[in-house]
Amino acid sequence: DLDGLGDQDEGAEVVLQIRRDLSGHWRHWIDGRVVIGPNGNLALIGYGYRFGTQTDGTGSEIGIVAVFHDSDQANSDFGVDARQSAASSLSPTDLDSGYRSIGINYTYRYNVNEHWQLFGEALYEHYGDEIADSPVSRNDYEAELGVGVIYVF
């Protein structure tokens, strides 16, 4: 039970991403991302593969990513400070910077017309031992499904 941990502060994040094409046609790529926010920072490095022959950004792709975080982000997401421990009866947990997880994601984009795309994603993230052992983490993984609409300028 996570009662007693309190509310997390909301805040905007800045995401910087670099992708490098490995195939000449964006069928294979590596990418790096840095996520900077008020609760800490994440860094991701990954490899991706696009299925099919289209070159317009639509279709299916799969990616594998390793995720690293600083201690502020780790403790914001999975740590338990002394106040939270007293209120929740969870053990105090102070996490270090470093490896967070490895993940795999599948995305699909479909052009509805010149400016609109439909987007779907499935994601599985397997946590490293320190995160999996946190009393805040209910499992040693996270799974997500998402759908959305994208406007292309």
Side-chain angles (χ1 to χ4, degrees):
D1 188 12
L2 300 179
D3 290 337
L5 292 181
D7 295 328
Q8 271 195 334
D9 294 333
E10 298 289 330
E13 295 178 328
V14 174
V15 178
L16 305 171
Q17 180 174 354
I18 297 174
R19 272 190 172 187
R20 173 142 174 90
D21 179 20
L22 300 175
S23 63
H25 302 289
W26 288 101
R27 294 289 165 245
H28 302 270
W29 68 87
I30 56 172
D31 72 344
R33 283 173 261 171
V34 176
V35 181
I36 303 164
N39 297 326
N41 308 299
L42 291 171
L44 301 88
I45 185 160
Y47 166 81
Y49 175 78
R50 176 176 297 282
F51 299 97
T53 59
Q54 61 274 48
T55 58
D56 62 357
T58 62
S60 299
E61 61 185 49
I62 194 164
I64 297 171
V65 64
V67 184
F68 302 87
H69 54 199
D70 65 16
S71 60
D72 290 338
Q73 184 70 50
N75 285 297
S76 174
D77 289 347
F78 299 101
V80 179
D81 63 26
R83 181 189 52 78
Q84 291 171 321
S85 177
S88 68
S89 74
L90 297 174
S91 299
T93 305
D94 185 37
L95 303 171
D96 296 324
S97 299
Y99 174 73
R100 173 186 173 120
S101 61
I102 190 162
I104 186 166
N105 69 304
Y106 171 82
T107 58
Y108 180 78
R109 289 185 187 205
Y110 172 77
N111 280 344
V112 175
N113 61 37
E114 182 180 352
H115 292 288
W116 291 98
Q117 287 184 344
L118 297 177
F119 174 86
E121 179 177 48
L123 168 75
Y124 174 82
E125 182 180 12
H126 187 82
Y127 296 137
D129 290 343
E130 188 177 46
I131 300 302
D133 292 342
S134 166
V136 176
S137 182
R138 294 181 176 176
N139 298 299
D140 61 356
Y141 69 92
E142 178 179 346
E144 297 177 9
L145 293 175
V147 294
V149 177
I150 298 170
Y151 184 81
V152 180
F153 292 92

